[in-house]
Amino acid sequence: MSRQISSLLAIAVVCVTLAPTPALAQAPKKEVDCTQVKCVALTFDDGPSKYAGQLLDTLKKYDAKATFFLEGQYVKSRPSYVKRMVAEGHELGNHSYTHPDFRKVEKWDVRAEIKKTQEAVKKAAGVEPKLLRPPYGMVDLTVSDVAVEFGMPIILWTGGNEDWSSKNATAIKKKSMEVAKPGSIVLMHDWVKQTVDSMPAIVKSLQKKGYHLVTVSEVLKAQDVKLEPGDVFPVPAGWENK
Ligand SMILES: [Zn+2]
């Protein structure tokens, strides 16, 4: 390399290094009005998984919000992700401590599972989840009674991307796009690596279609859904909220 070229390169390097970073104009936080624009609530169950950091990076990059239905045992082992979820504006829900089918365990056990998770989240992030999603979405009157004790409505989903079953990125993306409709609550899992890997593409496609990615509570608010503790949403066939 000639001396001249190398010194030019040296100058270029210095220029790049010294070039001031463009001031990132901190736009005032604008509220998304889901009565005016299309919104969808992506929900991630069973975490925080070991991929939660990667998922949070994607959500942050695209200014997307999500709702995490957390499993207490992983809240305990990965508290920093939970803290980050709260700091970055995501919503948290309780998804039990060890993921039993609530219909097959005693009432005191349902209560203990929920309580331990509330405490773990509080310890990790200083807040307590206000929503409950029972494992497998399995709910009965006992579960509803216990949810009342904790002051929590029960949130199921309007559609899922079936990631746990396919574990296939193409299928996951296709199904995610299929079930995302205005006001949808979409079930996904952050322990499925293919879901987390596909999230940049899924979020970009949704945003391109005009969707805003918001929390469950924002979707409910826009639909004027007011849930009492113990109520179930969406209401499953044969279930009547009082
Ligand atoms: Zn689950």
Side-chain angles (χ1 to χ4, degrees), residues 45-46 69 71 95-96 99 133-137 187 189 191:
D45 281 17
D46 309 341
F69 288 94
E71 209 172 307
H95 191 54
S96 83
H99 214 271
R133 176 177 282 168
Y136 315 101
L187 169 66
H189 298 87
W191 55 264

Side-chain angles (χ1 to χ4, degrees), residues 126-178:
V127 297
E128 286 195 336
K130 297 199 165 44
L131 309 172
L132 176 67
R133 176 177 282 168
Y136 315 101
M138 293 303 183
V139 65
D140 61 12
L141 283 173
T142 303
V143 176
S144 175
D145 278 353
V146 178
V148 171
E149 293 174 18
F150 287 91
M152 295 196 277
I154 295 166
I155 305 298
L156 304 180
W157 51 87
T158 58
N161 70 354
E162 293 168 7
D163 52 356
W164 55 273
S165 146
S166 76
K167 303 239 180 85
N168 174 285
T170 312
I172 286 169
K173 192 186 168 206
K174 186 167 176 274
K175 193 72 190 166
S176 300
M177 296 309 292
E178 248 169 58

Side-chain angles (χ1 to χ4, degrees), residues 65-188:
K65 300 291 179 255
T67 303
F68 292 87
F69 288 94
L70 301 170
E71 209 172 307
Q73 58 176 328
Y74 301 121
V75 171
K76 194 180 172 203
S77 59
R78 303 188 180 107
S80 59
Y81 290 143
V82 182
K83 205 171 174 182
R84 202 179 146 192
M85 286 166 187
V86 172
E88 295 178 5
H90 304 294
E91 185 163 33
L92 303 184
N94 185 318
H95 191 54
S96 83
Y97 200 83
T98 59
H99 214 271
D101 182 339
F102 277 176
R103 299 167 313 165
K104 295 180 180 159
V105 297
E106 296 297 327
K107 189 172 186 176
W108 63 264
D109 212 1
V110 172
R111 194 180 285 130
E113 286 273 334
I114 296 172
K115 186 163 182 274
K116 270 177 87 176
T117 299
Q118 291 297 90
E119 288 168 356
V121 174
K122 182 90 191 269
K123 194 172 170 211
V127 297
E128 286 195 336
K130 297 199 165 44
L131 309 172
L132 176 67
R133 176 177 282 168
Y136 315 101
M138 293 303 183
V139 65
D140 61 12
L141 283 173
T142 303
V143 176
S144 175
D145 278 353
V146 178
V148 171
E149 293 174 18
F150 287 91
M152 295 196 277
I154 295 166
I155 305 298
L156 304 180
W157 51 87
T158 58
N161 70 354
E162 293 168 7
D163 52 356
W164 55 273
S165 146
S166 76
K167 303 239 180 85
N168 174 285
T170 312
I172 286 169
K173 192 186 168 206
K174 186 167 176 274
K175 193 72 190 166
S176 300
M177 296 309 292
E178 248 169 58
V179 296
K181 310 233 158 53
S184 287
I185 298 172
V186 180
L187 169 66
M188 303 184 168

